[in-house]
């Protein structure tokens, strides 16, 4: 009956949701951001300590530039509007992924929000930006090579973007799609995976709570035997 410390979410289905509402894919992204706010609240309520959100994958550069720019605009606007609130609510923001290719003004905003929330302790939100598991693993191995460290589990863990963060007990994917899409494959080897039919903008606090409730009933063996 232990509450999960770390919940990771693949927030999928924004585009389809927007089109279904006879609007644009970007409209879906805008509404998706509202769901993000709801779920952060739900996570705090449920005592989640780390919430990892897949915002932009290393493969999402394949999308039309108009959509990519709109996602960057939403993120930039979100930081501007919410930074004080994040500080007030003691929320820590951490980026996982490689933001080197992001527009420079957005990069500085991201760095600023990370710096200003660094010592907050209510909850840590890991925002996966230009994140891909394979890219993360390659970068970790390169770091080991540079430091002349041997390749073992501990050294790899300590050189991933998620260094110091426990593995997610729960992985949620909305959007009625049952795949991992290059997200946290190293970290999720024993995560309980919940594929949700709802598109991300429709995912709400109750859905989150229901998953936590179901999780608490699962017997987790980690390769051992049931007790
Ligand atoms: C997920 O929603 C959000 C991002 C990738 C930024 P999608 O944009 O993938 O929405 P669908 O899956 O096309 O509906
Ligand atoms: C995964 O969704 C990435 C994010 C939610 C940020 P995608 O929509 O990019 O995944 P695929 O392409 O359907 O696998
Ligand atoms: Mg998608």
């Amino acid at each position: 009956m232990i509450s999960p410390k770390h919940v990771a979410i693949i927030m999928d289905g924004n585009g389809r949701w927007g089109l279904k509402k006879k609007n644009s894919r970007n409209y879906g992204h805008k509404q998706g951001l509202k769901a993000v706010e709801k779920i952060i609240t739900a996570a705090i309520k449920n005592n989640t300590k780390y919430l990892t959100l897949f915002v932009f994958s290393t493969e999402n550069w394949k999308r039309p530039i108009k959509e990519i720019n709109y996602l960057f605009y939403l993120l930039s606007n979100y930081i501007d509007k919410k930074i004080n609130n994040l500080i007030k609510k003691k929320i820590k923001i951490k980026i996982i992924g490689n933001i080197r290719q992001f527009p420079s003004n957005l990069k500085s905003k991201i760095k600023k929000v990370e710096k200003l929330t660094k010592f907050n302790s209510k909850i840590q939100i890991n925002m996966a930006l230009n994140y891909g598991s394979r890219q993360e693993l390659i970068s970790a191995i390169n770091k080991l090579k540079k430091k002349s460290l041997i390749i073992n589990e501990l050294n790899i863990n300590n050189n991933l973007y998620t260094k110091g963060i426990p593995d997610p007990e729960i992985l949620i994917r909305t959007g009625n799609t049952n795949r991992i899409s290059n997200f946290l494959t190293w970290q999720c080897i024993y995560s309980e995976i919940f594929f949700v039919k709802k598109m991300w903008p429709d995912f709400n606090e109750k859905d989150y709570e229901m998953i936590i409730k179901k999780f608490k009933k699962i017997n987790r063996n980690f390769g051992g035997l049931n007790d």
Side-chain angles (χ1 to χ4, degrees), residues 30 32 57 63 79 84 125 142-143 147-148 160 174 200:
K30 190 176 166 197
S57 78
R63 296 190 179 202
I79 296 174
N84 289 331
I125 312 289
N142 276 322
K143 284 182 200 163
K147 299 178 196 168
S148 301
L160 293 171
T174 59
W200 176 250

Side-chain angles (χ1 to χ4, degrees), residues 5-6 157 162 165-170 186-191:
K5 278 201 181 70
H6 185 179
N157 270 325
T162 53
I165 301 169
D167 287 344
E169 293 95 331
I170 295 179
W186 173 275
Q187 295 88 341
C188 282
I189 55 163
Y190 269 107
S191 304

